[in-house]
């Protein structure tokens, strides 16, 4: 009996350690590169410190509460904060939007997610919009980001080289952390050896600011629609597929609706999104998080850490603000490099759709727009037209070859 209790206690400690470790790793994914991406987007839109703090606080706190609620309600490991993919997309937008206009676009993006859950629109939409084109769009939009990472590395060569080692070499030896986190850790070491990082000044606490959203057609087409597509395909679809592959039965429509409502609430404070995360949920639902019936505790740990991170966003913004802009560009580039490579690989994996994917990629990479339509609309529209033309022309060509064969045989 004594041996049984000892063994049971030891097993419980191991299980708890696995859940704790998986939850911490999941939270790190959102709280490092995800935060850097938000700050980078703030630079793009020239936001004030108060606006940036409001964005960061809302995204992490609402996102954390959403995933905590879903996890405890269904005992299924859901984890996430905001969409890093969608935030990376925001960094590629060249047009200027005010903070209220951004909030309006974010709210409408949440409305689209909510409609996807209420109407089953997601399944129908993906039936007409192949994921290869979405991946080609994402890769094209992120290409300048990867290029800028190299240009920024010329200004901080030691930090860049250390980040390269952290991304490509260290994960092959030590697989505890993902490559982007190793790039961040070694990059910070290289930066501290290369320049003197100024101390963080004192600052007062700033609470999230309620924003009266302004709704514009340009914001809807340039931000809301692409963001909703990216969250649906690169976050929610990945999360649901991962959770299901680990023998859970997720409530699909509830996840869509919850992410939509949370994103609307977040948008009213200027946050870009609050949703179930793909890689975070995959990590918390995997065998590395312990026995299946206990894995939801990993998501609980992750969500609590994400909420706590959001509570200290007012200081985290100051911490990230003292980092040189080239270094933020380098780290953001490494955070998006995996998405870029994955998107590129998926976009051209199907030989039948390579030409449409190529046009989608090029239009997105060169940011072609006009006639009141944004780059994503042009890119996806062109890819869809080429895809339909190819589908239409192949039967005609096949029919001709059959007729020619019959004529030659006669």
């Amino acid at each position: 009996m004594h041996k049984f209790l000892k063994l049971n206690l030891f097993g419980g400690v191991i299980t708890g350690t696995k859940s704790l470790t998986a939850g911490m790793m999941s939270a790190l994914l959102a709280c490092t590169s995800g935060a850097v991406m938000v700050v980078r987007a703030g630079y793009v839109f020239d936001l004030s410190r108060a606006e940036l703090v409001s964005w960061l606080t809302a995204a992490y706190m609402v996102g954390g509460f959403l995933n905590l609620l879903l996890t405890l309600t269904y005992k299924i490991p859901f984890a996430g904060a905001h969409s890093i993919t969608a935030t990376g997309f925001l960094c590629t937008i060249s047009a200027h939007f005010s903070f209220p206009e951004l909030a309006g676009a974010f709210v409408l993006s949440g409305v689209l997610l909510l409609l996807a859950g209420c109407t089953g629109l997601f399944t129908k939409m993906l039936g007409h919009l192949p994921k290869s084109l979405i991946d080609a769009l994402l890769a094209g939009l992120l290409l300048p980001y990867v290029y800028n990472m190299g240009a920024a590395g010329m200004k901080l060569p030691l930090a860049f080289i250390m980040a390269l080692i952290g991304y490509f070499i260290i994960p092959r030896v030590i697989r505890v952390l993902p490559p982007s986190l190793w790039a961040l850790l070694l990059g910070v070491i290289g930066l501290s050896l290369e320049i003197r990082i100024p101390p963080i000044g004192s600052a007062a606490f700033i609470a999230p600011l309620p924003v009266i959203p302004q709704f514009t057609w340009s914001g809807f087409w340039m931000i809301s629609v692409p963001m909703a597509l990216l969250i649906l395909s690169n976050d929610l679809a990945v999360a649901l597929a991962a959770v299901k592959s680990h023998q859970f039965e997720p409530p699909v429509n509830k996840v869509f609706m919850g992410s939509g409502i949370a994103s609307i609430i977040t948008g009213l404070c200027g946050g870009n999104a609050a949703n179930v995360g793909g890689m975070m949920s995959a990590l918390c639902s995997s065998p590395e998080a312990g026995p299946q019936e206990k894995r939801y505790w990993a998501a609980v740990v992750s969500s609590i850490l994400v909420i706590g991170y959001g509570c200290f966003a007012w200081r985290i913004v100051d911490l990230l603000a003292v980092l040189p802009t080239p270094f933020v560009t380098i780290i953001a580039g490494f955070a998006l490099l995996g998405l870029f490579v994955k998107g590129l690989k998926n976009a051209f994996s199907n030989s039948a759709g390579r030409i449409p994917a190529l046009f989608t990629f090029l239009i997105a990479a060169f940011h072609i727009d006009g006639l009141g339509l944004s780059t994503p609309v042009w890119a996806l529209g062109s890819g869809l037209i080429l895809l339909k033309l190819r589908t239409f022309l192949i039967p005609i060509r096949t029919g001709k070859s059959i007729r020619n064969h019959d004529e030659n045989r006669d």
Side-chain angles (χ1 to χ4, degrees):
M1 182 68 178
H2 178 68
K3 288 183 178 179
F4 173 77
L5 290 175
K6 196 172 182 180
L7 182 62
N8 198 32
L9 179 62
F10 182 68
V13 170
I14 292 177
T15 298
T17 303
K18 283 186 173 182
S19 296
L20 180 64
T21 302
M24 292 175 64
M25 292 301 303
S26 171
L28 276 173
L29 290 175
C31 298
T32 51
S33 55
V36 171
M37 295 306 304
V38 171
V39 172
R40 180 61 181 160
Y43 292 164
V44 171
F45 294 108
D46 196 24
L47 301 184
S48 67
R49 178 177 178 269
E51 291 169 340
L52 192 53
V53 169
S54 185
W55 178 336
L56 206 63
T57 304
Y60 281 90
M61 291 193 69
V62 178
F65 275 116
L66 165 70
N67 286 277
L68 183 61
L69 179 63
L70 288 172
T71 297
L72 294 177
T73 300
Y74 298 103
K75 295 296 187 293
I76 295 176
F78 292 112
H82 64 93
S83 172
I84 297 177
T85 306
T87 309
F89 157 71
L90 290 172
C91 297
T92 66
I93 295 176
S94 57
H96 178 73
F97 291 91
S98 65
F99 195 50
E101 289 172 338
L102 282 175
F106 297 157
V107 168
L108 290 177
S109 177
V111 171
L112 292 176
L113 296 179
L114 180 59
L115 289 174
C118 294
T119 64
L121 187 63
F122 177 60
T123 305
K124 299 175 184 176
M125 181 175 57
L126 284 190
H128 297 284
L129 189 61
K131 193 175 185 302
S132 61
L133 296 187
I134 298 177
D135 288 324
L137 169 68
L138 179 63
L141 291 173
L142 295 182
L143 177 61
Y145 231 89
V146 177
Y147 171 79
N148 290 336
M149 174 180 65
M154 300 293 290
K155 299 177 182 178
L156 295 171
L158 182 57
F160 183 63
I161 292 171
M162 292 289 285
L164 279 172
I165 294 172
Y167 192 90
F168 291 104
I169 298 177
I170 299 298
R172 296 179 178 272
V173 182
I174 308 173
R175 299 184 179 183
V176 178
L177 300 176
S180 59
L181 293 186
W182 281 118
L184 174 62
L185 292 175
L186 268 70
V188 169
I189 294 173
L191 181 67
S192 63
L193 295 173
E194 194 164 17
I195 65 171
R196 181 178 178 275
I197 302 175
I200 304 172
S202 59
F205 170 77
I206 296 179
L209 300 172
V211 183
I212 300 176
Q214 294 181 9
F215 303 104
T216 63
W217 279 111
S218 58
F220 178 73
W221 289 113
M222 291 187 69
I223 298 177
S224 304
V225 174
M227 267 188 57
L229 288 174
L230 290 171
I231 294 171
L232 285 168
S233 61
N234 290 279
D235 289 284
L236 300 185
V238 172
L240 292 168
V243 169
K244 198 157 188 174
S245 69
H246 293 138
Q247 285 73 53
F248 294 95
E249 290 298 328
V252 176
N253 289 335
K254 296 290 178 59
V255 170
F256 289 160
M257 294 169 64
S259 296
I261 294 171
S263 293
I264 293 171
I265 296 171
T266 305
L268 293 174
C269 290
N272 62 321
N275 54 269
V276 173
M279 294 306 298
M280 295 174 68
S281 295
L283 180 58
C284 290
S285 64
S286 68
E288 284 75 15
Q292 184 182 5
E293 67 276 6
K294 299 292 185 182
R295 291 176 198 171
Y296 74 94
W297 283 110
V300 170
V301 171
S302 176
S303 299
I304 291 174
L305 290 175
V306 166
I307 293 169
Y309 189 82
C311 292
F312 290 95
W314 61 283
R315 288 306 285 165
I316 292 166
V317 166
D318 295 326
L319 171 65
L320 296 176
V322 301
L323 299 176
T325 301
F327 182 73
V328 175
T329 302
I330 290 171
I331 298 304
F334 278 111
L336 294 173
L337 185 59
L339 291 173
F340 170 75
V341 174
K342 182 180 177 182
L344 207 61
K345 182 179 178 181
N346 292 341
F348 297 102
S349 60
N350 183 7
S351 59
R354 283 177 184 169
I355 298 299
L358 177 62
F359 273 80
T360 301
F361 172 78
L362 292 175
I363 291 172
F366 288 100
H367 288 269
I368 296 173
D369 55 20
L371 301 177
L373 299 177
S374 62
T375 297
V377 176
W378 276 108
L380 290 175
S382 301
L384 276 174
I385 291 172
L386 287 172
L387 201 61
K388 293 296 182 183
L389 283 175
R390 188 185 185 282
T391 306
F392 176 73
L393 289 174
I394 284 179
I396 295 176
R397 293 174 60 187
T398 304
K400 285 182 177 179
S401 63
I402 292 173
R403 286 196 300 270
N404 291 337
H405 175 72
D406 291 340
E407 289 171 1
N408 292 334
R409 188 178 62 183
D410 294 339

